[in-house]
Amino acid sequence: MGLGFTMCVRSCFQSSCLQWAWRTAFLKHIQRRHQGSHRWTHLGGSTYRAVIFDMGGVLIPSPGRVAAEWEVQNRIPSGTILKALMEGGENGPWMRFMRAEITAEGFLREFGRLCSEMSKTSVPVDSFFSLLTSERVAKQFPVMTEAITQIRAKGLQTAVLSNNFYLPNQKSFLPLDRKQFDVVVESCVEGICKPDPRIYKLCLERLGLQPSESIFLDDLGPNVKAAASLGIHTIKVNDPETAVKELEALLGFTLRLGVPNTQPVRKTMEIPKDSLKKYLKDLLGIQTTGPLELLQFDHGQSNPTYYISLANRDLVLRKKPPGTLLPSAHAIEREFSVVGTPFYVMEYCPGLIYKDPSLPGLEPSHRRAIYTAMNTVLCKIHSVDPQAVGLEDYGKQGAYIPRQVRTWVKQYRASETSTIPAMERLIEWLPLHLPHQQRTTLVHGDFRLDNLVFHPEKPEVLAVLDWELSTLGDPLIDVAYSCLAHYLPSSFPVLRGFNDCDLTQLGIPAAEEYFRMYCLQMGLPPTENWNFYMAFSFFRLAAILQGVYWRSLTGQASSAHAEQTGKLTEFVSNLAWDFAVKEGFRVFKEMPFKNPLTRSCHTWARSQSQWYPIGTRSYSSVPEASPAHASRGGLVISPESLSPPVRELYHRLKRFMEQHVYPAEPELQSHQASAARWSPSPLIEDLKEKAKAEGLWNLFLPLEADPEKKYGAGLTNVEYAHLCELMGTSLYAPEICNCSAPDTGNMELLVRYGTEAQKARWLMPLLEGKARSCFAMTEPQVASSDATNIEASIREEDSFYVINGHKWWITGILDPRCQLCVFMGKTDPHAPRHRQQSVLLVPMDTPGIKIIRPLTVYGLEDAPGGHGEVRFEHVHVPKENMVLGPGRGFEIAQGRLGPGRIHHCMRLIGFSERALALMKARVKSRVAFGKPLVEQGTVLADIAQSRVEIEQARLLVLRAAHVMDLAGNKAAALDIAMIKMVAPSMASRVIDRAIQAFGAAGLSSDYPLAQFFTWARALRFADGPDEVHRATVAKLELKHRI
Ligand SMILES: Cc1cc2nc3c(=O)[nH]c(=O)nc-3n(C[C@H](O)[C@H](O)[C@H](O)COP(=O)(O)OP(=O)(O)OC[C@H]3O[C@@H](n4cnc5c(N)ncnc54)[C@H](O)[C@@H]3O)c2cc1C
């Protein structure tokens, strides 16, 4: 059982109508402190007679955890210590040390040598050993001390069964109070280590128990497994708090003492006890000479909260933090002379507070019941009639959301430390999307699971905490706010979430269901602009986090975590923006289409309706498009709706394609089939100069990556999509306009992550079209669709990195102009999976790069760039060629592949349009069985099918580009994966139909169809196979969609 505290809107010693309302609604079940009662979830009476504890990792911090921190501080490659501890298994130095077969000195010698060999640097293992055994680190977890006391109070035995060692002073290392245990078994004393079964048997023998009568806790799998195989009940400990909860469930009684979630008052948060005691004695009329006990709750980032015990009264005091405050936050107004800042005092309410919203240790049905109770209590709050309880003046009437938006924008601005793009977008977006209709009820303002005190034995809310933000307002704010945890990860430091958990398995209702439950209980229709409320709630959370951060910078944070939490503002603001984007699409989908039978669609960017004949790919705009839409620029789905300068650029490119590119295709094609094919075609070089002269050059770099248009044309992704599609109608145009893969991805990589020196050396020649480049990731020996498999090694050696590896399918590596290879390999195979890889810029003239052969795609070589198989043998690369730093490769590859993937898709739409155009011309001119092919029903059906599929895919491409523009590449992950799933197979089908309609000529090199087909098929692998994108879409669908 845990204990909590109640908090009402005003001091509970002040007579107030709200207090009455609140008490009638929620305080029916308040009980006095309630020790020893069972959790309503417990599994029943216990048959256990002893609990056996491992030491490191259970009672005190594990060596692994101490090592991880020490390694960071001493710049030792992460994982070195743990790996060296495990080295040699049973006969390694660590295990021999535990069995006292070697002394501490002997162990440290061997261990130091091992660590240095593994990390290729000298490792001061003495310093690690001193830290590990220091009093500062080797301290028993308070939660375990409490648990042991409770277990013994219930008459059960306790034991410690530890793999430990002798210190240099010949004493065994056991930094515990031995009196807590009936039995102590130490490996160094016995000469036997876990997981050897003999040591468990020894422990049981000394306890005088059968295996089934005891529970064993250890943090290491093999030790737990060995105990379980003897018939002992086991708990694998990942974190002591959770382990104690599991133990409670097995034992069936509470293991907590005193006031949970409290700690001694923090130094900076002390309050004068004497004046407080005098104040309370006067207020409550207490005659006592006894002490005032004061503890601080670890709850309450913004307003420090204290537990007070005075003469049998258990109270809670909540006050404003000291120092300068942001306007109108922390609305606590009371007599501040007593404790230095305004405060209020209230009664303490015992009960359970669930801090982890995933409710570990509970049955799924209980979790569901908890969330249902939470929903019910919210409905009760929202059903209070403010007038009936005298609260009609509790807040301003009406326009709650606009006021809230203004307030939180103001709060954010007052604590802003740097520009956060998503916050800026939201500040613009929120006022434009305010709900039209709002109800007004009592609003809690911070309604979350951990602000509720639950009955210890049943799923019932006893009290609701944290009313500082309560007022009269739109109740949907509370519903949305109570769903924040659904979208936050479990590792989120301030507000733990569960977006990485399987809700169905947990039994927790999804956000959508929770929301529906609320509407049903309240008798309301479901609200459609739910995403607005989520966007606003996350915006508000971001503003709060920024405030905490700001206070941490000015040294007033009421928590040591403040600085860390504030840095999360950006993360949360991106989440908020995701919802804004979803809401945008909902509005978009609901906008009326003028005439659904014509291929006419609206754009928000134009104010006037225009109609074009069918087939010219022109679209109208909705006449009644709101100024809001017009001002922020909507999804431009036709080239005719592009802004005038970009439209002009589009038409210039179109003319260039018609005048220069299509006519050059036969010559370029025959060059690719000639003996000179491995040298660049002079015609391409000539056309490149022409394109450059016409400003049709480097169009691909998105404005977002190059906001000052330093390197490129400064187009948005949507604008580029229209131009890229046009270039995609010819296989040669992308290179002619310096917009071809893999150079585009590599150039973007250099713009985003390159140092100035790297940019000067590599980016400039690439931008000028003088050099070409390749990207080397895929390896023949591993499944490279999972980039974490990549094995090529990047090893440090003096001032160089030395690379060794075998790569294949490296597009462009055979081109004599290829000067740069962007190489992906592993710098640290022991780091966490996504921190092992790094990206290195490898000059192609470095000795040791051996091209083995060009690979072919359905027999095509794709000269002069080709797709090469290549070995890298002891290739020495200067250290300054590392991009971003070791371990950042995965992050870079994700960034690089995002835009690249969508460029391919844009071009695939171009392939398809060209194929369909060629097919239409062909079937009109050929006659078979007495009539033109175009009059055959199947041909017509094929044409129709192709048109529909192209349109569908184009819309999805444009949507992905639009989301990238609005919310960034990361936020567009789902859209990018969707289009990557759709575009290559769509193009394959469309091109295949065109080939079929052409007859055998379609397969020849007289037309671009065969080459288009080959590329479309290859693009179902390149940039990741279809299945990987499908998996991404499914994962995101299951995780995020509400
Ligand atoms: C024309 C062309 C150009 C290329 N250019 C380059 C380049 O420039 N640089 C470079 O580094 N690489 C390049 N590649 C390689 C390409 O990126 C890889 O082929 C691709 O990532 C797949 O890796 P793999 O071939 O090792 O297939 P594997 O990883 O072995 O996968 C094989 C198959 O397993 C299945 N599969 C994989 N994952 C899943 C999953 N999660 N669920 C279900 N099924 C799954 C899929 O069917 C997949 O096709 C190119 C490839 C081609 C065809």
Side-chain angles (χ1 to χ4, degrees), residues 319-459:
K319 72 188 273 290
K320 277 187 179 175
T324 323
L325 293 169
L326 294 176
S328 77
H330 315 278
I332 303 173
E333 310 300 343
R334 286 283 292 151
E335 297 98 306
F336 50 86
S337 58
V338 182
V339 293
T341 60
F343 72 97
Y344 61 79
V345 180
M346 64 209 135
E347 207 175 317
Y348 179 87
C349 167
L352 286 171
I353 295 180
Y354 295 107
K355 283 189 161 186
D356 184 338
S358 69
L359 301 172
L362 301 195
E363 293 291 316
S365 59
H366 290 157
R367 291 198 188 97
R368 192 172 178 81
I370 290 277
Y371 275 89
T372 308
M374 177 178 176
N375 203 293
T376 305
V377 90
L378 186 60
C379 291
K380 284 187 181 172
I381 295 175
H382 294 166
S383 303
V384 169
D385 176 356
Q387 211 160 5
V389 296
L391 283 177
E392 62 271 36
D393 298 331
Y394 193 56
K396 289 187 189 143
Q397 289 286 342
Y400 172 71
I401 301 279
R403 277 187 285 113
Q404 278 285 300
V405 170
R406 278 198 301 275
T407 302
W408 288 102
V409 168
K410 216 159 105 198
Q411 293 270 14
Y412 172 70
R413 290 289 188 218
S415 60
E416 195 176 358
T417 45
S418 62
T419 302
I420 299 175
M423 288 303 266
E424 296 306 316
R425 289 196 293 262
L426 286 158
I427 289 170
E428 210 179 300
W429 185 88
L430 287 164
L432 296 172
H433 292 81
L434 297 170
H436 297 306
Q437 283 184 340
Q438 291 171 45
R439 285 186 310 130
T440 299
T441 69
L442 178 63
V443 164
H444 178 274
D446 193 8
F447 195 78
R448 314 187 316 225
L449 188 67
D450 63 346
N451 271 336
L452 304 180
V453 180
F454 278 86
H455 193 288
E457 284 150 9
K458 48 188 174 181

Side-chain angles (χ1 to χ4, degrees), residues 528-700:
E528 285 168 342
N529 57 347
W530 159 246
N531 284 319
F532 170 85
Y533 287 92
M534 290 309 301
F536 172 69
S537 298
F538 275 112
F539 172 75
R540 195 177 75 156
L541 178 64
I544 292 171
L545 290 171
Q546 182 63 25
V548 177
Y549 179 50
W550 179 81
R551 281 201 302 284
S552 80
L553 294 181
T554 51
Q556 301 162 22
S558 46
S559 154
H561 297 303
E563 183 160 351
Q564 187 199 352
T565 59
K567 286 184 182 156
L568 301 168
T569 310
E570 196 165 347
F571 172 81
V572 172
S573 62
N574 282 327
L575 274 180
W577 185 247
D578 282 351
F579 282 100
V581 172
K582 280 187 202 160
E583 176 61 6
F585 281 120
R586 187 189 66 79
V587 174
F588 174 81
K589 277 193 244 149
E590 282 176 11
M591 288 184 127
F593 281 70
K594 187 142 190 184
N595 182 351
L597 291 176
T598 62
R599 271 180 50 227
S600 302
C601 313
H602 71 264
T603 90
W604 291 328
R606 307 190 65 199
S607 58
Q608 287 230 320
S609 168
Q610 279 181 313
W611 295 90
Y612 296 87
I614 295 173
T616 56
R617 214 166 85 63
S618 301
Y619 305 86
S620 75
S621 41
V622 163
E624 34 320 287
S626 73
H629 289 148
S631 70
R632 73 196 160 97
L635 173 59
V636 177
I637 58 174
S638 88
E640 295 311 322
S641 303
L642 290 164
S643 67
V646 183
R647 197 160 66 234
E648 192 281 321
L649 185 65
Y650 178 89
H651 286 295
R652 206 176 335 139
L653 177 63
K654 199 159 183 236
R655 279 194 305 276
F656 185 81
M657 297 286 296
E658 283 158 2
Q659 285 170 10
H660 302 290
V661 180
Y662 303 133
E665 282 179 338
E667 187 179 333
L668 294 172
Q669 209 283 325
S670 62
H671 178 82
Q672 277 194 308
S674 73
R677 64 188 181 282
W678 295 107
S679 308
S681 145
L683 180 53
I684 286 265
E685 295 303 313
D686 183 38
L687 289 171
K688 275 162 74 174
E689 288 311 312
K690 283 200 171 78
K692 209 187 273 182
E694 291 208 28
L696 300 170
W697 193 251
N698 290 340
L699 306 172
F700 63 95

Side-chain angles (χ1 to χ4, degrees), residues 104-399:
E105 289 79 355
F107 163 71
L108 286 174
R109 223 175 305 119
E110 244 185 282
F111 183 58
R113 187 182 45 75
L114 263 179
C115 287
S116 303
E117 265 173 30
M118 283 174 175
S119 63
K120 310 267 177 290
T121 165
S122 122
V123 178
V125 287
D126 286 0
S127 113
F128 166 67
F129 191 73
S130 314
L131 180 73
L132 182 71
T133 53
S134 68
E135 276 183 28
R136 180 166 70 82
V137 166
K139 262 200 305 215
Q140 186 164 312
F141 297 120
V143 63
M144 287 295 175
T145 313
E146 273 184 34
I148 292 168
T149 312
Q150 292 291 79
I151 294 166
R152 288 166 70 90
K154 288 277 172 188
L156 273 73
Q157 296 188 75
T158 52
V160 61
L161 170 53
S162 171
N163 278 2
N164 66 345
F165 44 80
Y166 282 115
L167 293 163
N169 64 9
Q170 303 309 316
K171 288 192 179 150
S172 67
F173 175 64
L174 198 87
L176 307 170
D177 179 359
R178 290 179 182 250
K179 291 198 285 302
Q180 302 173 100
F181 306 101
D182 300 281
V183 168
V184 173
V185 180
E186 296 169 83
S187 66
C188 62
V189 175
E190 309 301 338
I192 318 170
C193 270
K194 290 176 286 184
D196 187 327
R198 287 177 299 161
I199 198 159
Y200 301 87
K201 287 182 187 158
L202 193 69
C203 184
L204 289 170
E205 213 175 283
R206 290 184 187 166
L207 286 165
L209 296 178
Q210 293 301 312
S212 61
E213 291 174 308
S214 60
I215 302 172
F216 173 65
L217 290 88
D218 200 305
D219 62 327
L220 300 179
N223 295 353
V224 172
K225 215 168 144 194
S229 65
L230 292 173
I232 302 175
H233 289 267
T234 56
I235 293 177
K236 166 125 186 355
V237 180
N238 291 323
D239 116 81
E241 293 266 356
T242 317
V244 166
K245 282 192 186 150
E246 283 179 43
L247 189 56
E248 274 184 336
L250 280 179
L251 292 173
F253 55 81
T254 180
L255 296 176
R256 298 301 180 113
L257 285 176
V259 187
N261 308 322
T262 59
Q263 51 178 297
V265 178
R266 282 183 216 119
K267 271 257 159 331
T268 50
M269 293 291 150
E270 274 166 3
I271 50 178
K273 274 190 180 182
D274 290 345
S275 61
L276 178 62
K277 186 172 164 188
K278 182 174 174 320
Y279 169 79
L280 291 175
K281 275 171 70 180
D282 291 351
L283 184 78
L284 305 172
I286 304 175
Q287 300 296 321
T288 180
T289 50
L292 176 139
E293 191 194 340
L294 196 64
L295 293 168
Q296 188 174 354
F297 285 98
D298 35 25
H299 237 71
Q301 275 274 342
S302 48
N303 293 310
T305 309
Y306 303 82
Y307 164 81
I308 302 167
S309 170
L310 181 68
N312 293 331
R313 298 294 297 259
D314 299 328
L315 307 168
V316 174
L317 181 145
R318 195 157 162 86
K319 72 188 273 290
K320 277 187 179 175
T324 323
L325 293 169
L326 294 176
S328 77
H330 315 278
I332 303 173
E333 310 300 343
R334 286 283 292 151
E335 297 98 306
F336 50 86
S337 58
V338 182
V339 293
T341 60
F343 72 97
Y344 61 79
V345 180
M346 64 209 135
E347 207 175 317
Y348 179 87
C349 167
L352 286 171
I353 295 180
Y354 295 107
K355 283 189 161 186
D356 184 338
S358 69
L359 301 172
L362 301 195
E363 293 291 316
S365 59
H366 290 157
R367 291 198 188 97
R368 192 172 178 81
I370 290 277
Y371 275 89
T372 308
M374 177 178 176
N375 203 293
T376 305
V377 90
L378 186 60
C379 291
K380 284 187 181 172
I381 295 175
H382 294 166
S383 303
V384 169
D385 176 356
Q387 211 160 5
V389 296
L391 283 177
E392 62 271 36
D393 298 331
Y394 193 56
K396 289 187 189 143
Q397 289 286 342

Side-chain angles (χ1 to χ4, degrees), residues 742 774-780 782-786 789 807-812 857 862 867 896 1015 1017-1028 1031:
C774 63
F775 182 72
M777 184 180 81
T778 305
E779 296 175 359
V782 293
S784 304
S785 44
D786 176 357
N789 282 343
K807 304 274 181 187
W808 73 345
W809 288 106
I810 310 309
T811 302
V857 183
D862 248 325
H867 312 286
R896 180 193 176 282
W1015 262 111
R1017 184 65 186 86
L1019 285 170
R1020 291 182 58 199
F1021 294 115
D1023 299 337
D1026 288 359
E1027 290 83 352
V1028 172

